Amino acid sequence: MIVLLRAGASVAEARAVEAELTRAGASSRRVRGPARLAVEVVGPHAPFDDATLARLSALDAVESLLAADEPNPRVAAARGPVAVATPLGPIAVGSDEWTLMLGPCAVENEPDLIAAAACAQQAGARFLRGGAFKPRTSPYAFQGLGDDGLPLLRRVADAFGLAVVSEATSEAAVARVAEHCELLQIGARTMAASSLLRAAARAGRPVLLKRGFGATVDEWLAAAEYLLDGGAPGVILCERGIRSFEPGTRATLDLGGLALAKLRTGLPVIADPSHAAGTRALVEPLARAALAAGADGLIVECHAEPGRARSDGPQALTPADVAELARAVARLAPALGRRAPKPLLCTTTCQPQTTTSTPRSSASPR
Ligand code: PEP
Ligand code: MN
């Protein structure tokens, strides 16, 4: 392990790190890099216990703990919640309070987005989700409103006191999504696109990184490493189901993978039961299972009238389902030592002016 010190840390502060390592039974040597000091653990030693790692991380001079034989050192060394800055103050994802992100699959029109945001807000969601750029399997399916969807998403979220998470499907979209959204989403289909990851990392926003449906946990964490290495101010992992031989669900929610990711890293891990289930009736059971397995929150699709949704209608919760999910989450929290989010008071009218709405159309294939 290498204990990386902050730029400007003094020799005395390095000595405090060395003393902590000695107490834990490890030998170390001081390394002077071009810009800063580090302390490298040398020789065999017993695995460091959590208390030692916590004491080291808590030292002011310590920037991060890097495991020398760890392929994804920044991911492995990540600790603590990810703070997502919003105009209403930071949202700590990965704290003892679960984070809920709710909204439609795609931004379609203002009235439906208002209805989704209203039920998201009442359920205690802190984020409104919704794709402006949609990565669809078929080129003939609704591809999202693109640039026009982003200001709409922003306006409606602001009216309900919610932060925004939305997907950037291309390098060109990153800056535009980052301009309107507090949290950038990288989707399952593009999880391993390294140039997109590098562009997302440079955007200055924390990133919600979906697991690719054909990606191993190691590949997922390597994608997170690209983001942290590129300077992303935080990464939240999202398990959304992987391909299996089971055709009854859209994907198989990999709870083992979720728990493994939590073991390998201190990054927050949330679950997306919607894209795993593919069917409304399975969303709540999968959501409960994911929370019980240690998920730090959920991202869930909902729609005022799922039958009219232009993408992923069959898995979208109705407003009544969302209220039921919120009750289930609240019931589970005490048993798991977590807190369920409560609705924040809406500080504005919660009724944005209706401007132009895009025409509604019937559901199209996903
Ligand atoms: C989404 O969340 O809108 C989405 C397309 O999910 P995924 O990338 O997990 O398929
Ligand atoms: Mn969807």
Side-chain angles (χ1 to χ4, degrees), residues 80-366:
V82 166
V84 182
T86 80
L88 300 175
I91 300 171
V93 182
S95 66
D96 62 344
E97 180 174 292
W98 284 325
T99 303
L100 295 184
M101 306 179 185
L102 282 159
C105 177
V107 178
E108 301 176 1
N109 59 65
E110 185 160 352
D112 284 337
L113 195 57
I114 290 173
C119 83
Q121 193 271 336
Q122 282 155 26
R126 295 290 178 264
F127 288 84
L128 178 63
R129 63 141 291 146
F133 299 95
K134 291 307 302 176
R136 304 304 301 281
T137 305
S138 164
Y140 309 116
F142 174 56
Q143 307 285 310
L145 299 182
D147 279 329
D148 294 344
L150 293 170
L152 180 54
L153 196 51
R154 181 73 263 163
R155 201 164 65 242
V156 172
D158 283 347
F160 285 89
L162 298 169
V164 179
V165 54
S166 196
E167 179 169 350
T169 46
S170 67
E171 286 173 65
V174 164
R176 302 201 301 265
V177 175
E179 188 191 329
H180 291 90
C181 308
E182 285 88 354
L183 185 58
L184 272 179
Q185 180 174 325
I186 297 294
R189 287 160 191 77
T190 49
M191 180 212 84
S194 51
S195 50
L196 176 59
L197 293 169
R198 290 242 181 250
R202 283 193 301 269
R205 298 284 196 188
V207 178
L208 177 70
L209 180 66
K210 295 274 196 103
R211 178 182 178 186
F213 37 69
T216 64
V217 170
D218 281 340
E219 289 162 345
W220 185 23
L221 298 184
E225 187 75 13
Y226 264 102
L227 291 168
L228 292 179
D229 182 54
V235 174
I236 301 160
L237 298 168
C238 177
E239 162 58 36
R240 49 78 72 210
I242 52 175
R243 277 272 155 79
S244 79
F245 51 80
E246 174 52 62
T249 48
R250 185 175 178 184
T252 296
L253 189 67
D254 182 10
L255 296 180
L258 185 152
L260 182 59
K262 295 238 9 149
L263 209 61
R264 294 255 178 93
T265 169
L267 293 174
V269 186
I270 69 165
D272 173 350
S274 302
H275 290 89
T279 304
R280 185 170 312 118
L282 297 179
V283 171
E284 189 194 310
L286 292 186
R288 285 191 267 111
L291 293 174
D296 295 298
L298 301 168
I299 181 165
V300 174
E301 291 185 347
C302 64
H303 197 282
E305 261 184 66
R308 278 197 288 104
R310 300 180 77 184
S311 65
D312 286 351
Q315 70 198 32
L317 298 189
T318 64
D321 297 329
V322 169
E324 178 48 41
L325 176 69
R327 283 192 289 274
V329 168
R331 279 195 302 272
L332 261 183
L336 294 164
R338 305 290 288 249
R339 283 185 296 121
K342 296 205 169 66
L344 295 176
L345 275 182
C346 212
T347 50
T348 67
T349 61
C350 293
Q351 283 301 323
Q353 294 295 304
T354 301
T355 51
T356 45
S357 301
T358 52
R360 294 167 176 179
S361 81
S362 57
S364 50
R366 66 193 186 197

Side-chain angles (χ1 to χ4, degrees), residues 22-50:
T22 307
R23 246 197 306 281
S27 307
S28 61
R29 66 183 179 115
R30 204 172 309 154
V31 184
R32 187 176 286 279
R36 60 173 96 195
L37 287 171
V39 178
E40 184 184 6
V41 175
V42 288
H45 60 88
F48 295 114
D49 59 20
D50 286 347

Side-chain angles (χ1 to χ4, degrees), residues 56-100:
L56 282 168
S57 303
L59 293 173
D60 271 352
V62 172
E63 181 174 299
S64 55
L65 309 179
L66 306 178
D69 53 352
E70 166 59 59
N72 303 309
R74 293 179 197 283
V75 164
R79 296 279 176 276
V82 166
V84 182
T86 80
L88 300 175
I91 300 171
V93 182
S95 66
D96 62 344
E97 180 174 292
W98 284 325
T99 303
L100 295 184

